Amino acid sequence: MLAVSGMTFGQPPAGREHMAMGQAAGGGAPVATGPAAEVQRAYAGQMNNLLKAVEKMPADQYQYKPTPEVRTFARVVNHVTEAQARSCGVANHTAPADMVKTPSDTADKDAVIAGLKASFAECDKAFGATTDANFTEMYTLGQNKRSRAGLMWGTVSHDNEQYSTLAMYLRLKGLVPPSSEK
């Protein structure tokens, strides 16, 4: 779950998926609605799955790759770190010299996870600062212009794509991916 300005963003409580957006479970605090809240909830779900996946893979399997032509588990995680650091860093106006540093692809599990967590800290700021009012704000990313909406949804989409790769690697090692756990 992502907590921003006293509001909590995340998935509805188990068994409450049928509730209308904005309706609180059991009389609790209302769930935020609108474009910013939607992307914040999606981000929180992806962050949860990614963090659980990287913890689940044994340390001695971080150099695993199913075939010689594909990336190692660590390289996929580091790719997420790089992408998040860049897109969220742009949204946060983080100077290039202050961007999250990605560990080596041969670094140990703890270092790779530390890099990923640092990129999530950068993204927590970017997603937390996202409002319906600033959703169309424009940013320069390389030679392109992107809206905050594009940066945030692009991050969620990319995280989802990379999580699917990590989930496949977990399955090939006989492990159940976090999103499939019961």
Side-chain angles (χ1 to χ4, degrees):
M1 289 235 202
L2 174 67
V4 180
S5 302
M7 298 291 298
T8 301
F9 305 98
Q11 302 303 316
R16 299 296 185 129
E17 293 84 1
H18 64 280
M19 291 179 6
M21 289 292 287
Q23 181 179 351
V31 175
T33 60
E38 290 169 359
V39 76
Q40 289 163 337
R41 275 190 296 279
Y43 164 73
Q46 288 305 317
M47 177 174 55
N48 182 51
N49 282 338
L50 283 163
L51 290 173
K52 286 181 178 179
V54 299
E55 291 292 348
K56 193 166 225 188
M57 182 62 96
D60 66 343
Q61 296 300 311
Y62 264 58
Q63 294 308 306
Y64 170 72
K65 56 183 180 174
T67 68
E69 299 81 17
V70 299
R71 300 173 292 175
T72 65
F73 188 88
R75 171 83 291 263
V76 175
V77 176
N78 282 345
H79 177 65
V80 172
T81 299
E82 292 162 347
Q84 289 192 150
R86 185 169 182 204
S87 60
C88 293
V90 166
N92 293 333
H93 304 286
T94 303
D98 297 329
M99 294 266 191
V100 170
K101 307 299 182 249
T102 304
S104 163
D105 290 345
T106 58
D108 66 13
K109 177 179 178 173
D110 290 340
V112 172
I113 290 174
L116 181 64
K117 287 181 177 179
S119 74
F120 275 122
E122 186 76 20
C123 282
D124 287 348
K125 288 185 246 172
F127 280 86
T130 299
T131 65
D132 291 351
N134 71 9
F135 217 47
T136 58
E137 198 171 85
M138 297 302 291
Y139 296 87
T140 300
L141 183 63
Q143 295 182 347
N144 301 312
K145 292 276 189 189
R146 300 237 7 229
S147 67
R148 179 178 282 271
L151 284 172
M152 300 299 94
W153 276 117
T155 298
V156 169
S157 177
H158 184 263
D159 284 357
N160 189 50
E161 178 184 322
Q162 299 311 306
Y163 171 73
S164 71
T165 300
L166 297 175
M168 178 190 61
Y169 284 26
L170 288 170
R171 285 198 186 278
L172 290 170
K173 286 298 179 181
L175 301 168
V176 177
S179 56
S180 295
E181 292 175 339
K182 294 183 183 200

